[in-house]
Amino acid sequence: MYISNKLIDDNLLNPKRPLIFVPGIRTSRLAIRKENGSLEHFWPLMPHEFLIKAKLDRVFHYLETNIPLKADDNDDDAKVVATSLIPFAYDGLIKSILTWGYKPNIDFWIFPYDWRQSNRISGHLLARFIEEKTEGKCDDGVDIISHSMGGIIARAASLNGAPIRRAAYIACPHLGSPLAYFILHPQIDSRRFIGSAYHNYPSSTYWQPPNNDTNNNNNNIERRKTLYHRRKKLFVKFPSMYELLPDESYLRNRSILLTDGKPESGAEDTYLKNEWAFKEKDMRTGVINAMEFKRQLGEELPQLQDVLLVCGTNQLTCDTIHYRTSYHASITERRPSYLMQQGFSLPYDSGQGGDGYVPVTSAMASISGTPAHSNSVFIPEAHTVLSNAKATIEALGRFLAA
């Protein structure tokens, strides 16, 4: 873990304006508000707790219920509360910010949020958060550091009037990430992306042989649902996940789906039409709402901000998938195992690269591959460690000291 040395950053010992940090998806601790007003944390689970049925059932129940559908200005009514960062996720970054002279709850705040809800809601709440924290303290707006989906929230806050003067976006999927498509689509095998050591460990809900199956006939035994299947079904309930899908500006210029070798263009042809479309009504509604939100957000970053874009590179970043409408036999192999199946292939990296989660074109908000902002840095680190990387922290220090 890298921590910037404050002796090298003397210009930051007297920060110019307040600083807000907005973390990425799944990195805020969540708690359920009980009837007596106390909070019971349920996220995150510790790794060993995935093997404890009662704890696993509890966290899945809380995660799939009480998802906010609108911004509520009365925090006391919220059933689920975001309280703080999960342990260790941003330790190097936060400690470096403190060495630069920022003081918690005076000119530096962290914005935890319910990462399941729409980023439209989180953006509204962030704008209100900034207003409350800085009232009477600064007339020159605030600076923002955001990681991953936190960048989408920062942009949504700008639409809500938040006075953001400088914004540093670390690995933000401005144009979306194909990874969200691979995770959301029920027919795509996304085991390699939904990280867990317990893919094949059965969840508490799984299929059993029918009671009248006395012959122990394997053909009558339905496949058990694993923790992987349960997690995949959980993600489709989160409005925020749909807002991470590649948007119209991405899909007009770069296809993520090739059907029988033909690139599909645009959100409608990719997500809503033909046999490879999202079928369930709730999922289709999620896609439509997400694409409308991204249209309102706009293709370009807010014009009134000084911007730093930190983009991860040199990591295998799957961004493309094939779909076959019929079975195809290999022309080079005669064995039955080489029959090419109908449906989706496994996702693969087409060559544009990225940080493992976000393609570099999306992180730099430029589908052309040419940086749209001169203040863009490219760092060969993976998505989850990029915010704590030495090169990232040094770039942030220079940006804030300018």
Side-chain angles (χ1 to χ4, degrees), residues 181 185 187 248 251 257 259 262 264-280 283-284 287-288 323 325 344:
Y181 178 61
H185 203 294
Q187 299 175 34
E248 192 68 37
L251 297 171
L257 173 65
T259 57
K262 171 183 170 293
E264 298 297 331
S265 178
E268 189 169 354
D269 285 344
T270 303
Y271 304 136
L272 301 174
K273 284 186 175 180
N274 304 304
E275 62 187 74
W276 53 84
F278 289 107
K279 301 291 193 263
E280 295 183 15
M283 298 189 73
R284 295 175 66 85
V287 170
I288 293 169
Y323 184 89
T325 58
F344 286 102

Side-chain angles (χ1 to χ4, degrees), residues 272-337:
L272 301 174
K273 284 186 175 180
N274 304 304
E275 62 187 74
W276 53 84
F278 289 107
K279 301 291 193 263
E280 295 183 15
K281 181 180 178 181
D282 288 347
M283 298 189 73
R284 295 175 66 85
T285 300
V287 170
I288 293 169
N289 291 342
M291 293 301 109
E292 176 58 28
F293 166 70
K294 291 301 293 289
R295 278 191 289 272
Q296 293 175 3
L297 205 60
E299 293 186 23
E300 298 188 3
L301 304 185
Q303 296 297 312
L304 298 179
Q305 298 175 2
D306 290 333
V307 169
L308 169 67
L309 296 175
V310 179
C311 312
T313 62
N314 290 18
Q315 312 298 313
L316 181 71
T317 307
C318 293
D319 61 352
T320 310
I321 196 167
H322 284 265
Y323 184 89
R324 295 192 178 277
T325 58
S326 58
Y327 290 92
H328 294 264
S330 170
I331 62 174
T332 58
E333 298 285 347
R334 296 180 180 273
R335 288 179 291 170
S337 61

Side-chain angles (χ1 to χ4, degrees), residues 204-211 213 220-225:
S204 63
T205 56
Y206 55 90
W207 296 105
Q208 293 279 19
N211 291 333
D213 183 6
N220 293 330
I221 299 177
E222 298 183 75
R223 185 177 63 173
R224 298 205 304 178
K225 290 186 177 179

Side-chain angles (χ1 to χ4, degrees), residues 49-58 201 203-205 230:
E49 292 179 321
F50 280 92
L51 297 174
I52 303 173
K53 178 181 181 299
K55 289 185 177 292
L56 193 61
D57 286 347
R58 169 176 164 269
Y201 181 79
S203 67
S204 63
T205 56
R230 197 174 182 188

Side-chain angles (χ1 to χ4, degrees), residues 186 188 195 373 384:
I188 295 177
H373 295 267
T384 54

Side-chain angles (χ1 to χ4, degrees), residues 72-379:
D72 192 339
D73 289 331
N74 187 356
D75 289 337
D76 293 336
D77 292 337
K79 294 289 197 311
V80 174
V81 180
T83 61
S84 60
L85 296 179
I86 66 173
F88 313 119
Y90 298 104
D91 283 7
L93 173 60
I94 300 301
K95 289 178 181 178
S96 293
I97 289 172
L98 299 181
T99 65
W100 294 337
Y102 290 95
K103 299 177 179 59
N105 300 318
I106 296 177
D107 57 7
F108 173 58
W109 294 271
I110 297 170
F111 176 69
Y113 60 93
D114 187 340
W115 35 265
R116 306 169 304 160
Q117 68 195 7
S118 168
N119 294 305
R120 186 196 306 271
I121 297 175
S122 297
H124 170 87
L125 297 176
L126 174 58
R128 195 184 76 193
F129 179 88
I130 292 172
E131 180 181 7
E132 292 175 350
K133 298 299 184 184
T134 62
E135 186 175 8
K137 295 183 179 180
C138 181
D139 296 327
D140 190 30
V142 300
D143 295 335
I144 291 277
I145 296 175
S146 61
H147 176 238
S148 192
M149 193 175 77
I152 304 297
I153 294 169
R155 293 177 59 187
S158 292
L159 286 183
N160 281 276
I164 300 172
R165 297 293 173 256
R166 296 187 296 186
Y169 300 99
I170 305 171
C172 175
H174 293 288
L175 308 179
S177 171
L179 178 61
Y181 178 61
F182 305 148
I183 290 175
L184 284 171
H185 203 294
Q187 299 175 34
I188 295 177
D189 186 340
S190 50
R191 284 177 175 83
R192 64 191 296 185
F193 309 119
I194 303 179
S196 172
Y198 311 108
H199 284 318
N200 296 317
Y201 181 79
S203 67
S204 63
T205 56
Y206 55 90
W207 296 105
Q208 293 279 19
N211 291 333
N212 59 0
D213 183 6
T214 57
N215 297 324
N216 196 27
N217 186 343
N218 288 334
N219 293 328
N220 293 330
I221 299 177
E222 298 183 75
R223 185 177 63 173
R224 298 205 304 178
K225 290 186 177 179
T226 66
L227 181 55
Y228 158 75
H229 296 98
R230 197 174 182 188
R231 295 179 75 183
K232 193 169 175 76
K233 289 184 68 175
L234 177 66
F235 285 128
V236 307
K237 299 178 184 294
F238 302 162
S240 61
M241 281 295 298
Y242 297 91
E243 293 162 359
L244 295 177
L245 287 167
D247 58 24
E248 192 68 37
S249 59
Y250 186 112
L251 297 171
R252 281 201 313 267
N253 295 279
R254 181 184 287 271
S255 297
I256 65 171
L257 173 65
L258 286 77
T259 57
D260 295 331
K262 171 183 170 293
E264 298 297 331
S265 178
E268 189 169 354
D269 285 344
T270 303
Y271 304 136
L272 301 174
K273 284 186 175 180
N274 304 304
E275 62 187 74
W276 53 84
F278 289 107
K279 301 291 193 263
E280 295 183 15
K281 181 180 178 181
D282 288 347
M283 298 189 73
R284 295 175 66 85
T285 300
V287 170
I288 293 169
N289 291 342
M291 293 301 109
E292 176 58 28
F293 166 70
K294 291 301 293 289
R295 278 191 289 272
Q296 293 175 3
L297 205 60
E299 293 186 23
E300 298 188 3
L301 304 185
Q303 296 297 312
L304 298 179
Q305 298 175 2
D306 290 333
V307 169
L308 169 67
L309 296 175
V310 179
C311 312
T313 62
N314 290 18
Q315 312 298 313
L316 181 71
T317 307
C318 293
D319 61 352
T320 310
I321 196 167
H322 284 265
Y323 184 89
R324 295 192 178 277
T325 58
S326 58
Y327 290 92
H328 294 264
S330 170
I331 62 174
T332 58
E333 298 285 347
R334 296 180 180 273
R335 288 179 291 170
S337 61
Y338 281 82
L339 192 69
M340 301 176 75
Q341 300 294 308
Q342 182 184 24
F344 286 102
S345 69
L346 291 175
Y348 65 94
D349 185 337
S350 69
Q352 69 167 316
D355 62 20
Y357 290 6
V358 180
V360 66
T361 51
S362 184
M364 65 183 179
S366 174
I367 201 67
S368 68
T370 302
H373 295 267
S374 58
N375 202 6
S376 301
V377 296
F378 301 89
I379 299 171

